[in-house]
Amino acid sequence: MASHHTTAERPPLAPPSARARTGRGPRAGLLLAADPQRCLDGAMVLERSGGHQATAVAGWARRLGSVRRLDSRPATAGERPAEPVVAPRPLGDRAARAVAYARGALGRPYAWGATGPTAYDCSGLMLAAWKAGGVALPRTTYAQISCGTRIDWPQLTPGDLVFFYPGISHVGLYVGGGEMIHAPHPGEPVQTAPLDRMPFAGAARPA
């Protein structure tokens, strides 16, 4: 019977399969082998070898997954996580206790050479305040300015000693907000005052 397709209408031919090209399938190879049993045994060995390799690969994959889960899991109750490193604040609570003492002295009278608790002069108030904070200061303003770290005005923090006049003849305790607590002079009690009331000469942070 003549074909219904013309040369232009014929569908493209599919590429021949490996079986079509060789004319042999797996059984054909077995039947044509000189020793069919030996060929069958070899095929079984290859199949088992492939199975063992697949099993080994799967085992290593499971181990790798366990290691990754162990590395990413959170710390248990019996393990101590790494503690964050926190930089200590300068003097911390000691400075806070010195400031608290000075606030408690507000209103006490000035007396030259007095170190409290009923009256103070300027350096005597600093001596008593920092003693409450656990730090021993020298007695006079001239020595107190060298008792710790010298700092500039922008680095002031509460508890720092602030000094005035070119001869370092007066001292107060910085309490923040541009203010200090000091014992000004005879006739004036311990009080809060702005730093810019007198000529600033320097500051020190007790150590």
Side-chain angles (χ1 to χ4, degrees), residues 2 24 37 42 58 66 70 90 99 111 133 166 179-180 192:
R24 297 180 183 178
Q37 183 60 43
S66 299
L70 181 63
V99 170
E179 295 188 329
M180 65 175 175
T192 302

Side-chain angles (χ1 to χ4, degrees), residues 33-59:
D35 187 350
Q37 183 60 43
R38 184 176 180 182
C39 182
L40 180 60
D41 293 341
M44 293 178 66
V45 169
L46 290 175
E47 182 179 1
R48 290 175 183 174
S49 177
H52 291 324
Q53 291 177 358
T55 302
V57 171

Side-chain angles (χ1 to χ4, degrees), residues 1-114:
M1 182 181 291
S3 174
H4 293 289
H5 297 282
T6 65
T7 303
E9 294 175 343
R10 289 177 182 172
L13 297 176
S17 64
R19 179 177 299 182
R21 289 196 301 270
T22 62
R24 297 180 183 178
R27 292 188 179 181
L30 180 61
L31 293 174
L32 294 177
D35 187 350
Q37 183 60 43
R38 184 176 180 182
C39 182
L40 180 60
D41 293 341
M44 293 178 66
V45 169
L46 290 175
E47 182 179 1
R48 290 175 183 174
S49 177
H52 291 324
Q53 291 177 358
T55 302
V57 171
W60 281 109
R62 286 194 298 270
R63 293 177 186 177
L64 180 59
S66 299
V67 171
R68 287 175 177 172
R69 288 193 299 272
L70 181 63
D71 184 61
S72 60
R73 68 182 176 84
T76 61
E79 298 177 353
R80 175 177 292 182
E83 297 181 359
V85 177
V86 180
R89 293 183 303 170
L91 297 179
D93 292 339
R94 290 181 290 173
R97 291 197 297 269
V99 170
Y101 183 96
R103 291 190 186 282
L106 289 171
R108 302 289 174 84
Y110 178 96
W112 187 85

Side-chain angles (χ1 to χ4, degrees), residues 55-176:
T55 302
V57 171
W60 281 109
R62 286 194 298 270
R63 293 177 186 177
L64 180 59
S66 299
V67 171
R68 287 175 177 172
R69 288 193 299 272
L70 181 63
D71 184 61
S72 60
R73 68 182 176 84
T76 61
E79 298 177 353
R80 175 177 292 182
E83 297 181 359
V85 177
V86 180
R89 293 183 303 170
L91 297 179
D93 292 339
R94 290 181 290 173
R97 291 197 297 269
V99 170
Y101 183 96
R103 291 190 186 282
L106 289 171
R108 302 289 174 84
Y110 178 96
W112 187 85
T115 59
T118 58
Y120 303 89
D121 67 5
C122 67
S123 57
L125 177 60
M126 302 302 105
L127 179 72
W130 269 101
K131 182 178 180 180
V135 177
L137 297 183
R139 176 65 184 86
T140 65
T141 58
Y142 318 108
Q144 287 177 355
I145 196 171
S146 300
C147 70
T149 303
R150 292 291 295 271
I151 57 175
D152 296 326
W153 183 300
Q155 284 78 48
L156 288 174
T157 59
D160 291 341
L161 304 178
V162 285
F163 299 88
F164 302 92
Y165 301 109
I168 316 297
S169 59
H170 189 67
V171 62
L173 189 74
Y174 184 64
V175 295

